Each structure stands twice: as C-alpha cells, then as structure tokens.
Amino acid sequence: MGYEFKRCMALMCATGLSVCLLTGCGGKGASSSEQTSSKATVKPPVEIDDSSAADAPVQQVNNIGPFLQKAYEILSGNKYTYKCTLTSTENDEKITIERYKSGNKLYQAQTTSLGKRGFLSDGTKVYEFDYYTYSYTDEGSVLPDVIESIVKENLPQTNSHAAPQEGESVEEYTYMGDTYITIYDFYFNDKGALLRYTTTYYMEGFDDIVETRTMTEFLSSVGDENIFSPTFAATMTDFSAFSQTDRQTYCTDFCTRLGITDQMLTSNGLSRESFKKISYSDFLGLVYRYGTDTGGEDAKK
C-alpha cells in the first residue's frame, strides 16, 4: 500500500465523505485501462446552464432520494443508535462500528482484533481514545457520519454499478474529487429500512477499494447513556497532558518497543525530535501503520 494513497484516503475520511475511521485504507496497483473502464460508467454532476437567466436566482435541486432521506431523519433527530459491521477488499477482518447520539453528545468507536478506538463528545470536550496504545486525548475531533455528509453535500444520484438483490431498492450517490471518485450504494428492504451500503473508491493507478457496511441496529433511541461518560480517562495515559519533553520520551519509548525505526520515521516525514510536537492522530497513525504486528500487550507494557 502506498503511503501517498493512504494520505489521500485519510483526507477523504476527514472530509466526512467516508466513515472509514481507523480501517487502514490502502490500494494495490492497477492498470490504467482497468481504471478507465471503471470510471467511464460514472455520471458526473450536471452543470446548470444559466446563460439565458443570468439574473434569476438559482434554486438548488434536491438530489437526495426518499429512502436515504428517511435514514437521515433518524440521524438528524435528538437520539440514535447506529451499529454495523464493516468488511473491505483491503482487509479480511470483520470490524464492528457503533455510533450513538443523545442531544449534543456523540460517541463512535470501532472494534478490531487490536481493541477499540474512537471518539467521544460529551458536550464540553471531544476525546479520542485508543485501547491498543491505552491512551487518550481531550483535544480530539468529531468525524461526521457518511449519510449526514451526503445529504448536506447534496451529492448527485448516479446509476453506474449498483446491484440490488431481489426485493431490495437501491440509491447510488457519487462524489467527484480532483484525483479520485467515491461511489456510495445504499440498499433498502421493501419497507425502506437501510440494510447495508457499499463505498467504492476509484483512484488512478490503484485497484478499486470496496467497503461494505451491514447494518445491525439503526434506531432513533439510545439504551445505556453511560456510554457518553469518559470513564477511560481514569485509567488511560493522557496524551494531551504531556510536556514537549515528556511527549518525546513517551513516543520514542513506544516506537522502540514496537520496532519502529528511524528510517520508518523519516519515510513519514518524522523524527524523534518531531515527537515533541506530534499530534495524537499522527502518533496513532504511525503506530497503526508500523507497530501493530506485535500485538496489543506489547503496546501496553
């Protein structure tokens, strides 16, 4: 997997157009002919011809279909529970994702064989936490949900490669980036309930990446609201509390335990000196990129 491609995938996640939070996105090489064939089926957004009505106000067309709009109504409500399993062509492991909202509180986490990692907004602070490194920060950020992002961005509906099964309805939406294309296919049952959705990433020079999220719960309620309490802060290492010297020492020791070399640091534009000011997300990115083969127990020693 190319590092530049990972950076591009991380950018897509950050914009909210994907919830591939912590999934380790990547890509393998592909011929340009394969990529051209895939991209040729994508219908780009239609440009409005306002040459004959230059002074008239332009009213934006609502591209969102009735089924996705119904799902969005749950996510834009006061409370919801959203659980799914994630599989990917880039990862054999089945990942579980859970997301809860209650008023201005929001919690999201994913669980893999390495443990749980996610974020929590308790109404006053945003925490990021990671059970592999057993650390957290209270200077985190919230990732928007993909459905919310699609509706707010009013992405155009397309019809390129969706494959509904018998008795299903499908709505497809396409995001056209400068150097990549992302297609979302949402599948619903005969009552309009969301069953699953796929996210397909196209990028020149790489094989397509397909993520499938299968819904296990999608409710306009929350069970145990203790989920919004940052209980992990009582036992985990507070990354945001470090001085620059302590942060450098902590990161250096951690990399040594996991076998992350100076050459690996250099290839990512980092050095032991830069550990003094490294962000929590960049630190976790480094650990998950190079240090996860040793297992979680080595991380917590």
Side-chain angles (χ1 to χ4, degrees):
M1 293 182 289
Y3 175 58
E4 290 302 318
F5 186 80
K6 286 182 178 180
R7 291 178 60 192
C8 179
M9 297 298 291
L11 175 61
M12 284 190 275
C13 294
T15 60
L17 293 171
S18 170
V19 286
C20 66
L21 174 67
L22 327 174
T23 60
C25 303
K28 295 171 287 186
S31 66
S32 58
S33 61
E34 290 172 338
Q35 293 297 321
T36 301
S37 175
S38 298
K39 292 180 180 180
T41 63
V42 178
K43 298 178 182 179
V46 177
E47 295 183 0
I48 299 176
D49 181 5
D50 60 355
S51 57
S52 60
D55 298 328
V58 178
Q59 293 185 348
Q60 185 180 37
V61 176
N62 180 19
N63 298 319
I64 307 304
F67 294 118
L68 194 65
Q69 184 63 43
K70 182 178 178 181
Y72 174 69
E73 288 172 1
I74 293 178
L75 297 176
S76 58
N78 187 57
K79 294 185 179 184
Y80 66 71
T81 296
Y82 177 168
K83 296 181 181 180
C84 67
T85 59
L86 167 65
T87 56
S88 171
T89 54
E90 290 294 292
N91 192 339
D92 294 332
E93 183 177 7
K94 181 181 288 188
I95 298 169
T96 61
I97 297 174
E98 53 187 328
R99 187 176 174 107
Y100 308 92
K101 175 188 173 185
S102 181
N104 63 348
K105 299 177 181 179
L106 187 64
Y107 173 97
Q108 178 172 310
Q110 78 164 25
T111 303
T112 69
S113 59
L114 295 174
K116 183 177 290 187
R117 177 182 172 190
F119 67 83
L120 165 65
S121 176
D122 67 355
T124 57
K125 292 183 178 181
V126 178
Y127 300 86
E128 289 184 47
F129 59 89
D130 174 58
Y131 279 86
Y132 176 66
T133 60
Y134 220 69
S135 62
Y136 78 96
T137 179
D138 61 5
E139 299 173 343
S141 58
V142 170
L143 289 178
D145 175 72
V146 64
I147 296 175
E148 294 177 281
S149 297
I150 288 173
V151 173
K152 291 177 181 179
E153 292 289 332
N154 195 28
L155 292 188
Q157 285 200 54
T158 52
N159 185 22
S160 62
H161 68 166
Q165 299 176 11
E166 185 176 355
E168 293 182 344
S169 298
V170 63
E171 290 180 3
E172 179 182 293
Y173 300 84
T174 296
Y175 177 76
M176 306 287 288
D178 293 334
T179 59
Y180 58 86
I181 299 172
T182 310
I183 299 180
Y184 305 92
D185 295 310
F186 295 89
Y187 298 91
F188 307 86
N189 65 15
D190 56 0
K191 296 181 180 180
L194 179 61
L195 299 173
R196 68 187 183 282
Y197 71 90
T198 63
T199 308
T200 305
Y201 304 99
Y202 299 97
M203 185 175 179
E204 191 67 35
F206 295 91
D207 287 343
D208 302 342
I209 297 174
V210 182
E211 295 175 352
T212 301
R213 290 168 175 80
T214 302
M215 309 306 297
T216 56
E217 286 188 47
F218 197 52
L219 310 170
S220 55
S221 61
V222 175
D224 185 0
E225 298 215 7
N226 286 326
I227 193 72
F228 302 110
S229 299
T231 54
F232 49 80
T235 56
M236 287 184 170
T237 299
D238 184 358
F239 193 87
S240 55
F242 284 137
S243 66
Q244 288 191 6
T245 300
D246 289 342
R247 182 170 300 198
Q248 182 185 35
T249 300
Y250 176 82
C251 294
T252 299
D253 290 347
F254 211 99
C255 288
T256 300
R257 291 202 302 271
L258 295 181
I260 300 175
T261 66
D262 288 346
Q263 183 177 359
M264 293 174 181
L265 295 178
T266 301
S267 66
N268 286 270
L270 297 170
S271 67
R272 294 178 186 271
E273 182 67 21
S274 65
F275 282 157
K276 290 180 178 180
K277 296 182 179 181
I278 193 171
S279 68
Y280 186 63
S281 60
D282 285 345
F283 168 66
L284 290 184
L286 182 70
V287 168
Y288 274 81
R289 189 171 302 126
Y290 292 118
T292 54
D293 291 338
T294 62
E297 290 305 311
D298 285 348
K300 289 186 281 185
K301 287 180 181 179

